Amino acid sequence: MIDIWQVTVVSLVLVALWACILLLYKFLPALTVKFPSREPPQISSTVPYIGHLIGIFIHKNHYYTQLSKLFQFPILKLPILGGQLYIIKSPKLIAAIERKPNTISFWHVEASAIGRVAGLRPEATETVSKGVGDNPDSFWLKGLRAIHHAMAPGEGINGMVLEAARTSVETLRRFDTESRGQRINLWDWVSHEITLSHTNAVYGQRNPYKDRQVEAAFWDFSQGSYKLLLGTYSNLLAPAAHRGREKVVEAFKPYFLDFNRETTAPTTTTSPLMQARMSNMANTLEIEDMARMECVNGLAILANTVPSAFWTLVQVYGHRDLLERVREGAAAAAAVVVTDENLHDGRGMEAKKKTKKMIIDINILLKNSSIIQPIVQEVIRLRTTGIGPRFVREDILLQDRYLLKKGSMVVIPNRAVHFDPEVWGQGVDGFDERRFWAKGSFSGSSSPSSSSLMRGDKGKGGGAGSGERKVMPTTATAYRGFGGGATICPGKHFAVDGIAVFVALVVLRYDIFPVRLGWGDLKQEMKDMALQLGSPEGKFEVEFRLREGMEGVEWGVR
């Protein structure tokens, strides 16, 4: 049981610390630039050691974007607490980093954090982090190779997208019956719809997130997950995140126990992703630690997919001409079937009832007629706030010019790269639905091969895809929505395709009307460190109305 006096003391210390930081930040002197030999330009504060730390504390990830815009250099060096942090926004330097994934390592940042965020036992933390990047047969790299293979475009991903769509069809049917016509918080609604559809696709029939309490607990965990890095004291400083994590963990324990006892063909009850994860965890971790790892894996499945889906709907519904084009593309993949059903009244009288069914062909939607995937990508370009942190494991000279020192950190602020007119051309600040038009799923992002994950520093980043629209050579590296190189997100195709299908189902079915704020009035929370794409500021209430001609329509996907 937590001592109330201990909680009170900690709270008072935090309040005092916060007051001191605000006071100091108010009088923080101007930043200055120095040009040390063979090192990046150094941005110094006259408040030594902690000046930049205060800026990060106040502005969170947005601080790196602000500095990148203020100082127009491809790379910056920030002295912090006797060490250094580098901010990189040049695509050429990013490409150089991605060619050295083991020397300038994202994997080591993840591995060092996961033990505390998941609450793993010390021996499990050692197992998970041992040999990261150095040993091709390490737990980490074996798991990555298996997941990349499972999540590559093909039959497995198509099946997951179809399963997510089937869930959405059913949840939207229930929504029409139970909640349509009410004022709905759009963020909460999208969060629930995507959470249930995507986790059903991943976990199958025994999906723990079917329990609304587990779903709510996960989002409590997600919102405070970065605070759990505090480890021992996280239950005091992030109690909601700590409680949420423990509830999700308890829900996953029986899931993994049942998984181990499974005697039927595994592909009939779960996804290729879970098969890949289980192949790596089953003989290595205890059930307790598997459940904890899976709680954290929920961040990869949901934490960026939900805001991406939300902002895509906002973008589409906020522009009538765009909405009509999206509907036209989605309708091209839909077949309307009208059937006659014989009705008996129990007295020998018969009547016929016409039933209208709208069946959406997922393959046609995604491959032939949809403009939605490029819209999703452009929304992510505009909205992402991530920083892609990396750890420098040894001194390294980039482009024979910039020395990065061992033990330092590197961040790549997505917004600084995504809003660079030298990379993206004019109109970089605005939405362009054609920016990612190309032949292929992703113009300029590709998954690393299994061999690149084994070769370590020899792996290469993805190259730009050929397409109908010319894509600038640096765009492939500059698009940071899913990372890049050997550390690119393996679930990017499932995420974008799943969002595209969800958006298609919604736009064909509903008109959505804001209640108070207009679509253009909605602001994004730029300081949200829990999400790679920030959530909206405050509630955004809307009303759903069935489109004309959609009353009584039965929906399906194939």
Side-chain angles (χ1 to χ4, degrees), residues 143-175:
L144 278 175
R145 288 197 301 276
I147 292 172
H148 274 286
H149 178 75
M151 300 299 284
E155 184 178 346
I157 289 294
N158 294 344
M160 291 176 65
V161 172
L162 181 58
E163 184 57 39
R166 285 171 175 159
T167 298
S168 292
V169 166
E170 177 58 25
T171 58
L172 293 178
R173 184 192 63 77
R174 290 202 302 267
F175 174 73

Side-chain angles (χ1 to χ4, degrees), residues 459-511:
K460 296 182 179 180
S466 61
E468 297 169 347
R469 183 176 184 273
K470 183 178 179 182
V471 180
M472 300 177 71
T474 52
T475 302
T477 304
Y479 186 68
R480 309 307 302 168
F482 298 95
T487 59
I488 198 166
C489 173
K492 63 187 185 296
H493 295 285
F494 174 54
V496 172
D497 287 356
I499 292 170
V501 173
F502 173 71
V503 169
L505 288 169
V506 173
V507 299
L508 287 176
R509 194 169 188 137
Y510 301 112
D511 287 318

